Coordinates of all heavy atoms in Angstrom, one line a residue:
M1 N 0.9 -1.2 0.0 CA 0.0 0.0 -0.1 C 0.9 1.3 0.0 O 0.5 2.2 -0.6 CB -0.9 0.0 1.2 CG -2.0 1.1 1.2 SD -3.1 0.8 -0.1 CE -4.4 1.8 0.3
E2 N 2.0 1.1 0.7 CA 2.9 2.3 0.8 C 3.4 2.7 -0.7 O 3.6 3.8 -1.0 CB 4.0 2.0 1.7 CG 3.7 1.9 3.1 CD 4.8 1.5 4.0 OE1 5.9 1.8 3.6 OE2 4.5 1.0 5.1
L3 N 3.6 1.7 -1.5 CA 4.1 1.9 -2.9 C 3.1 2.8 -3.6 O 3.4 3.7 -4.4 CB 4.4 0.7 -3.6 CG 5.7 -0.1 -3.1 CD1 5.8 -1.4 -3.8 CD2 6.9 0.7 -3.4
V4 N 1.8 2.4 -3.5 CA 0.7 3.1 -4.3 C 0.6 4.5 -3.8 O 0.5 5.5 -4.6 CB -0.6 2.4 -4.0 CG1 -1.8 3.2 -4.7 CG2 -0.5 1.0 -4.7
I5 N 0.7 4.7 -2.5 CA 0.6 6.1 -1.9 C 1.9 6.9 -2.2 O 1.8 8.0 -2.7 CB 0.4 6.1 -0.4 CG1 -0.9 5.5 -0.1 CG2 0.6 7.5 0.2 CD1 -1.1 5.1 1.4
G6 N 3.0 6.3 -2.3 CA 4.2 6.9 -2.7 C 4.3 7.3 -4.1 O 4.9 8.3 -4.5
Y7 N 3.7 6.5 -4.9 CA 3.6 6.8 -6.4 C 2.8 8.0 -6.7 O 3.0 8.7 -7.7 CB 3.1 5.5 -7.1 CG 3.2 5.6 -8.7 CD1 4.5 5.8 -9.3 CD2 2.2 5.5 -9.4 CE1 4.6 5.9 -10.6 CE2 2.2 5.6 -10.8 CZ 3.4 5.8 -11.4 OH 3.5 5.9 -12.7
G8 N 1.8 8.2 -5.9 CA 0.9 9.4 -6.1 C -0.3 9.3 -7.1 O -1.0 10.2 -7.2
R9 N -0.3 8.1 -7.7 CA -1.5 7.9 -8.6 C -2.0 6.4 -8.5 O -1.3 5.6 -8.0 CB -1.0 8.0 -10.1 CG -0.7 9.5 -10.4 CD -0.4 9.6 -11.9 NE 0.9 9.2 -12.2 CZ 1.4 9.0 -13.3 NH1 0.7 9.2 -14.4 NH2 2.8 8.7 -13.5
P10 N -3.3 6.3 -8.8 CA -3.8 4.9 -8.7 C -3.2 4.0 -9.7 O -2.8 4.5 -10.8 CB -5.3 5.1 -9.0 CG -5.6 6.5 -8.8 CD -4.3 7.3 -9.1
P11 N -3.0 2.7 -9.4 CA -2.4 1.8 -10.4 C -3.5 1.4 -11.4 O -4.1 0.3 -11.3 CB -2.0 0.6 -9.5 CG -2.9 0.6 -8.4 CD -3.2 2.1 -8.1
W12 N -3.6 2.2 -12.4 CA -4.8 2.0 -13.4 C -4.7 0.7 -14.1 O -5.7 0.0 -14.4 CB -4.9 3.2 -14.3 CG -5.3 4.5 -13.7 CD1 -4.5 5.6 -13.5 CD2 -6.6 4.6 -13.1 NE1 -5.3 6.4 -12.8 CE2 -6.5 6.0 -12.5 CE3 -7.7 3.9 -12.8 CZ2 -7.6 6.5 -11.9 CZ3 -8.8 4.5 -12.2 CH2 -8.7 5.7 -11.7
I13 N -3.5 0.3 -14.5 CA -3.3 -0.9 -15.3 C -3.7 -2.1 -14.4 O -4.6 -3.0 -14.9 CB -1.9 -1.1 -15.8 CG1 -1.6 0.0 -16.8 CG2 -1.7 -2.5 -16.5 CD1 -0.2 0.0 -17.3
A14 N -3.3 -2.2 -13.2 CA -3.6 -3.2 -12.3 C -5.2 -3.3 -12.0 O -5.8 -4.3 -12.0 CB -2.8 -3.1 -11.0
L15 N -5.7 -2.1 -11.8 CA -7.1 -2.0 -11.5 C -8.0 -2.4 -12.7 O -9.0 -3.2 -12.6 CB -7.6 -0.6 -11.1 CG -7.0 -0.2 -9.7 CD1 -7.4 1.3 -9.5 CD2 -7.7 -1.0 -8.7
T16 N -7.6 -2.0 -13.9 CA -8.2 -2.4 -15.2 C -8.2 -4.0 -15.4 O -9.2 -4.5 -15.7 CB -7.6 -1.7 -16.4 OG1 -7.7 -0.3 -16.2 CG2 -8.3 -2.1 -17.6
L17 N -7.1 -4.5 -15.2 CA -6.9 -6.0 -15.3 C -7.7 -6.7 -14.3 O -8.4 -7.7 -14.6 CB -5.4 -6.4 -15.2 CG -4.5 -6.0 -16.4 CD1 -3.1 -6.3 -16.0 CD2 -5.0 -6.8 -17.6
T18 N -7.8 -6.2 -13.1 CA -8.5 -6.8 -12.0 C -10.0 -6.9 -12.3 O -10.7 -7.9 -12.3 CB -8.3 -6.1 -10.7 OG1 -6.9 -6.2 -10.4 CG2 -9.1 -6.8 -9.6
F19 N -10.5 -5.7 -12.7 CA -12.0 -5.6 -13.0 C -12.4 -6.3 -14.2 O -13.4 -6.9 -14.3 CB -12.4 -4.1 -13.0 CG -12.5 -3.5 -11.6 CD1 -11.6 -2.5 -11.3 CD2 -13.3 -4.0 -10.6 CE1 -11.6 -1.9 -10.0 CE2 -13.4 -3.5 -9.4 CZ -12.5 -2.4 -9.0
S20 N -11.5 -6.3 -15.3 CA -11.9 -7.0 -16.5 C -11.9 -8.5 -16.3 O -12.8 -9.2 -16.8 CB -11.0 -6.6 -17.7 OG -9.6 -7.0 -17.4
F21 N -10.9 -9.0 -15.6 CA -10.9 -10.5 -15.4 C -12.0 -10.9 -14.4 O -12.6 -11.9 -14.5 CB -9.6 -10.8 -14.8 CG -9.4 -12.3 -14.7 CD1 -9.2 -13.1 -15.8 CD2 -9.4 -13.0 -13.5 CE1 -9.0 -14.5 -15.7 CE2 -9.2 -14.4 -13.4 CZ -9.1 -15.1 -14.6
G22 N -12.3 -10.0 -13.4 CA -13.4 -10.3 -12.5 C -14.8 -10.3 -13.3 O -15.6 -11.2 -13.0
T23 N -15.0 -9.3 -14.2 CA -16.2 -9.3 -15.0 C -16.3 -10.5 -15.9 O -17.4 -11.1 -16.0 CB -16.2 -8.0 -15.8 OG1 -16.1 -6.9 -14.9 CG2 -17.5 -7.9 -16.6
Y24 N -15.2 -10.9 -16.5 CA -15.1 -12.1 -17.4 C -15.5 -13.3 -16.5 O -16.4 -14.2 -17.0 CB -13.8 -12.3 -17.9 CG -13.5 -13.6 -18.5 CD1 -13.9 -13.9 -19.8 CD2 -12.7 -14.5 -17.8 CE1 -13.7 -15.2 -20.3 CE2 -12.5 -15.9 -18.4 CZ -13.0 -16.1 -19.7 OH -12.8 -17.3 -20.2
G25 N -15.0 -13.5 -15.4 CA -15.3 -14.6 -14.5 C -16.7 -14.7 -14.1 O -17.4 -15.7 -14.1
L26 N -17.3 -13.5 -13.8 CA -18.7 -13.4 -13.4 C -19.6 -13.8 -14.6 O -20.6 -14.6 -14.4 CB -19.1 -12.0 -12.9 CG -20.4 -11.8 -12.5 CD1 -20.9 -12.6 -11.3 CD2 -20.7 -10.2 -12.3
L27 N -19.3 -13.2 -15.7 CA -20.2 -13.5 -16.9 C -20.1 -15.0 -17.3 O -21.1 -15.6 -17.7 CB -19.8 -12.6 -18.0 CG -20.1 -11.1 -17.9 CD1 -19.5 -10.4 -19.1 CD2 -21.6 -10.9 -17.8
K28 N -18.9 -15.5 -17.2 CA -18.7 -17.0 -17.5 C -19.5 -17.9 -16.5 O -20.2 -18.8 -16.9 CB -17.3 -17.3 -17.5 CG -17.0 -18.6 -18.1 CD -15.4 -18.7 -18.4 CE -15.1 -20.1 -18.9 NZ -15.0 -20.2 -20.3
K29 N -19.5 -17.5 -15.2 CA -20.3 -18.2 -14.2 C -21.7 -18.1 -14.4 O -22.5 -19.0 -14.3 CB -19.9 -17.7 -12.8 CG -20.4 -18.6 -11.8 CD -19.9 -18.2 -10.4 CE -20.0 -19.2 -9.4 NZ -18.9 -20.1 -9.2
L30 N -22.3 -16.9 -14.8 CA -23.7 -16.7 -14.9 C -24.2 -17.3 -16.3 O -25.3 -17.7 -16.4 CB -24.0 -15.1 -15.1 CG -23.8 -14.3 -13.7 CD1 -24.0 -12.9 -14.0 CD2 -24.7 -14.9 -12.7
A31 N -23.3 -17.5 -17.2 CA -23.7 -18.1 -18.5 C -24.2 -19.6 -18.3 O -25.0 -20.1 -19.0 CB -22.6 -18.1 -19.5
K32 N -23.5 -20.3 -17.3 CA -23.8 -21.7 -17.0 C -23.7 -22.6 -18.3 O -24.6 -23.3 -18.6 CB -25.2 -21.8 -16.4 CG -25.3 -21.1 -15.0 CD -26.7 -21.3 -14.4 CE -26.6 -20.6 -13.1 NZ -27.9 -20.6 -12.4
V33 N -22.7 -22.4 -19.0 CA -22.3 -23.2 -20.2 C -21.2 -24.1 -19.8 O -20.2 -23.7 -19.2 CB -21.9 -22.3 -21.3 CG1 -21.6 -23.1 -22.5 CG2 -23.1 -21.3 -21.6
P34 N -21.2 -25.4 -20.2 CA -20.1 -26.3 -20.0 C -18.7 -25.7 -20.5 O -18.7 -24.9 -21.5 CB -20.5 -27.6 -20.6 CG -22.0 -27.5 -20.7 CD -22.3 -26.1 -20.9
A35 N -17.7 -26.2 -20.0 CA -16.3 -25.6 -20.2 C -15.9 -25.8 -21.7 O -15.4 -24.8 -22.3 CB -15.2 -26.3 -19.4
V36 N -16.1 -26.9 -22.3 CA -15.8 -27.2 -23.7 C -16.5 -26.2 -24.7 O -16.0 -25.6 -25.5 CB -15.9 -28.6 -24.1 CG1 -15.6 -28.9 -25.6 CG2 -15.0 -29.5 -23.3
E37 N -17.8 -26.2 -24.5 CA -18.6 -25.3 -25.3 C -18.3 -23.8 -25.1 O -18.2 -23.0 -26.1 CB -20.1 -25.4 -25.1 CG -20.7 -26.8 -25.6 CD -20.4 -28.0 -24.6 OE1 -19.7 -27.8 -23.5 OE2 -20.9 -29.1 -24.8
S38 N -18.0 -23.5 -23.8 CA -17.6 -22.1 -23.6 C -16.3 -21.7 -24.3 O -16.2 -20.6 -24.9 CB -17.5 -21.9 -22.1 OG -17.0 -20.6 -21.8
M39 N -15.3 -22.6 -24.2 CA -14.0 -22.3 -24.8 C -14.2 -22.3 -26.4 O -13.5 -21.5 -27.1 CB -13.0 -23.4 -24.4 CG -11.6 -23.2 -25.0 SD -10.9 -21.7 -24.4 CE -10.5 -22.2 -22.7
S40 N -15.0 -23.1 -26.9 CA -15.3 -23.1 -28.4 C -15.8 -21.8 -28.8 O -15.4 -21.2 -29.8 CB -16.2 -24.3 -28.8 OG -15.7 -25.5 -28.4
V41 N -16.8 -21.3 -28.1 CA -17.4 -20.0 -28.5 C -16.3 -18.9 -28.3 O -16.3 -18.0 -29.2 CB -18.6 -19.7 -27.6 CG1 -19.1 -18.2 -27.7 CG2 -19.7 -20.7 -27.9
E42 N -15.6 -18.9 -27.2 CA -14.5 -17.8 -27.1 C -13.5 -17.9 -28.1 O -13.1 -16.9 -28.7 CB -13.8 -18.0 -25.7 CG -14.8 -17.8 -24.6 CD -14.1 -18.0 -23.2 OE1 -12.9 -18.2 -23.2 OE2 -14.9 -18.2 -22.2
T43 N -13.1 -19.1 -28.6 CA -12.1 -19.2 -29.6 C -12.7 -18.8 -31.0 O -12.0 -18.1 -31.7 CB -11.7 -20.7 -29.7 OG1 -11.1 -21.1 -28.4 CG2 -10.6 -20.8 -30.8
G44 N -13.9 -19.2 -31.3 CA -14.5 -18.8 -32.5 C -14.6 -17.3 -32.5 O -14.5 -16.6 -33.6
F45 N -14.9 -16.6 -31.4 CA -15.1 -15.2 -31.3 C -13.9 -14.4 -31.6 O -13.9 -13.4 -32.3 CB -15.7 -14.8 -30.0 CG -16.0 -13.4 -29.9 CD1 -17.1 -12.8 -30.4 CD2 -15.2 -12.6 -29.0 CE1 -17.4 -11.4 -30.3 CE2 -15.5 -11.2 -28.9 CZ -16.6 -10.6 -29.5
L46 N -12.8 -14.9 -31.2 CA -11.5 -14.3 -31.3 C -10.7 -14.7 -32.6 O -9.7 -14.1 -32.9 CB -10.6 -14.5 -30.1 CG -11.1 -13.9 -28.8 CD1 -10.3 -14.3 -27.7 CD2 -11.1 -12.4 -28.9
F47 N -11.2 -15.7 -33.3 CA -10.5 -16.2 -34.5 C -10.3 -15.1 -35.5 O -9.2 -15.0 -36.1 CB -11.3 -17.4 -35.0 CG -10.6 -18.0 -36.3 CD1 -9.4 -18.6 -36.3 CD2 -11.2 -17.7 -37.5 CE1 -8.8 -19.2 -37.3 CE2 -10.6 -18.2 -38.7 CZ -9.4 -18.9 -38.6
L48 N -11.3 -14.5 -36.0 CA -11.1 -13.5 -37.1 C -10.3 -12.3 -36.7 O -9.5 -11.9 -37.5 CB -12.6 -13.0 -37.5 CG -13.3 -14.0 -38.4 CD1 -14.7 -13.5 -38.8 CD2 -12.6 -14.3 -39.6
P49 N -10.5 -11.7 -35.5 CA -9.5 -10.6 -35.1 C -8.1 -11.1 -35.2 O -7.2 -10.4 -35.6 CB -9.9 -10.1 -33.8 CG -11.4 -10.5 -33.7 CD -11.5 -11.8 -34.5
A50 N -7.8 -12.3 -34.6 CA -6.4 -12.8 -34.6 C -5.9 -13.1 -36.0 O -4.8 -12.8 -36.3 CB -6.4 -14.1 -33.8
L51 N -6.8 -13.7 -36.9 CA -6.4 -13.9 -38.3 C -6.1 -12.6 -39.0 O -5.1 -12.5 -39.8 CB -7.4 -14.7 -39.0 CG -7.1 -15.2 -40.4 CD1 -5.9 -16.2 -40.3 CD2 -8.3 -15.9 -41.0
T52 N -6.9 -11.6 -38.8 CA -6.7 -10.3 -39.4 C -5.4 -9.7 -38.9 O -4.6 -9.2 -39.7 CB -7.8 -9.3 -39.0 OG1 -9.1 -10.0 -39.4 CG2 -7.7 -8.0 -39.6
Y53 N -5.0 -9.8 -37.6 CA -3.8 -9.3 -37.1 C -2.6 -10.0 -37.7 O -1.6 -9.4 -38.1 CB -3.8 -9.3 -35.6 CG -2.5 -8.8 -34.9 CD1 -2.2 -7.5 -35.0 CD2 -1.7 -9.7 -34.3 CE1 -1.0 -7.0 -34.5 CE2 -0.5 -9.2 -33.7 CZ -0.2 -7.9 -33.8 OH 1.0 -7.4 -33.3
L54 N -2.7 -11.3 -37.8 CA -1.6 -12.1 -38.5 C -1.4 -11.8 -39.9 O -0.3 -11.6 -40.3 CB -1.8 -13.6 -38.3 CG -1.7 -14.2 -36.9 CD1 -2.1 -15.6 -36.9 CD2 -0.3 -13.9 -36.3
A55 N -2.5 -11.5 -40.7 CA -2.4 -11.1 -42.0 C -1.7 -9.7 -42.1 O -1.0 -9.5 -43.0 CB -3.8 -11.1 -42.6
F56 N -2.1 -8.7 -41.2 CA -1.5 -7.5 -41.1 C 0.0 -7.6 -40.9 O 0.8 -6.9 -41.6 CB -2.1 -6.6 -40.1 CG -1.5 -5.3 -39.8 CD1 -1.6 -4.3 -40.7 CD2 -0.7 -5.1 -38.7 CE1 -0.9 -3.0 -40.5 CE2 0.0 -4.0 -38.4 CZ -0.1 -2.9 -39.4
L57 N 0.4 -8.4 -40.0 CA 1.9 -8.5 -39.7 C 2.6 -9.1 -40.9 O 3.7 -8.7 -41.2 CB 2.1 -9.5 -38.5 CG 1.7 -8.9 -37.1 CD1 1.9 -10.0 -36.1 CD2 2.5 -7.6 -36.8
Q58 N 2.0 -10.0 -41.6 CA 2.5 -10.6 -42.8 C 2.7 -9.6 -43.9 O 3.8 -9.6 -44.5 CB 1.6 -11.8 -43.3 CG 2.2 -12.6 -44.4 CD 3.5 -13.4 -44.0 OE1 3.7 -13.7 -42.9 NE2 4.3 -13.7 -45.0
T59 N 1.8 -8.8 -44.1 CA 1.9 -7.7 -45.2 C 2.9 -6.7 -44.7 O 3.6 -6.1 -45.7 CB 0.5 -7.0 -45.4 OG1 0.1 -6.4 -44.2 CG2 -0.5 -8.0 -45.9
Q60 N 3.2 -6.5 -43.5 CA 4.2 -5.5 -43.1 C 5.6 -6.1 -43.1 O 6.5 -5.3 -42.9 CB 3.9 -5.0 -41.7 CG 2.5 -4.2 -41.6 CD 2.5 -3.0 -42.4 OE1 3.4 -2.1 -42.4 NE2 1.5 -2.9 -43.1
G61 N 5.7 -7.4 -43.2 CA 7.0 -8.0 -43.2 C 7.5 -8.3 -41.8 O 8.8 -8.6 -41.7
T62 N 6.7 -8.2 -40.8 CA 7.2 -8.3 -39.4 C 6.7 -9.7 -38.8 O 7.0 -9.9 -37.6 CB 6.7 -7.2 -38.5 OG1 5.3 -7.1 -38.6 CG2 7.4 -5.9 -39.0
A63 N 6.0 -10.5 -39.6 CA 5.5 -11.8 -39.0 C 6.6 -12.8 -39.1 O 7.6 -12.7 -39.8 CB 4.4 -12.3 -39.9
A64 N 6.6 -13.6 -38.1 CA 7.7 -14.7 -37.9 C 7.2 -16.0 -38.6 O 8.2 -16.8 -38.9 CB 8.1 -14.9 -36.5
F65 N 6.0 -16.2 -38.9 CA 5.5 -17.5 -39.3 C 5.9 -17.6 -40.8 O 5.7 -16.7 -41.6 CB 4.0 -17.6 -39.2 CG 3.4 -18.9 -39.7 CD1 3.6 -20.1 -39.0 CD2 2.7 -19.0 -40.9 CE1 3.2 -21.3 -39.4 CE2 2.3 -20.2 -41.4 CZ 2.4 -21.3 -40.6
G66 N 6.5 -18.7 -41.2 CA 6.9 -19.0 -42.5 C 8.2 -18.3 -43.0 O 8.6 -18.5 -44.2
H67 N 8.9 -17.5 -42.1 CA 10.1 -16.8 -42.5 C 11.2 -17.6 -41.9 O 11.3 -17.8 -40.6 CB 10.1 -15.4 -42.0 CG 9.1 -14.6 -42.7 ND1 9.2 -14.0 -43.8 CD2 7.8 -14.3 -42.3 CE1 8.1 -13.3 -44.2 NE2 7.3 -13.5 -43.2
T68 N 12.2 -18.0 -42.7 CA 13.4 -18.7 -42.2 C 14.6 -18.0 -42.7 O 14.6 -17.4 -43.8 CB 13.4 -20.2 -42.5 OG1 13.4 -20.3 -43.9 CG2 12.2 -20.9 -41.9
R69 N 15.6 -18.1 -42.0 CA 16.9 -17.5 -42.5 C 17.6 -18.6 -43.3 O 17.6 -19.8 -43.0 CB 17.8 -17.1 -41.3 CG 17.2 -16.0 -40.6 CD 18.1 -15.5 -39.5 NE 17.5 -14.4 -38.8 CZ 18.0 -13.7 -37.9 NH1 19.3 -14.0 -37.6 NH2 17.4 -12.8 -37.3
G70 N 18.3 -18.2 -44.3 CA 19.0 -19.1 -45.1 C 20.3 -19.6 -44.4 O 20.7 -19.3 -43.4
P71 N 20.9 -20.7 -45.0 CA 22.0 -21.4 -44.4 C 23.2 -20.5 -44.3 O 23.4 -19.6 -44.9 CB 22.2 -22.6 -45.2 CG 21.5 -22.5 -46.4 CD 20.5 -21.4 -46.2

């Protein structure tokens, strides 16, 4: 606690992570969906944004997938 007071500002990153993870846990518990089905929905929901990001990295030349150094 002394570190927070000494810093002079609230730890916004820690508070944001705490509340977002807590909200996620609460919503997951309230949904009452079995674990496998829940994970499938979450994975499906994040698939397109992740694929879009990987495609963006590939077009920028900063992706590591498929890039190897020569001998």
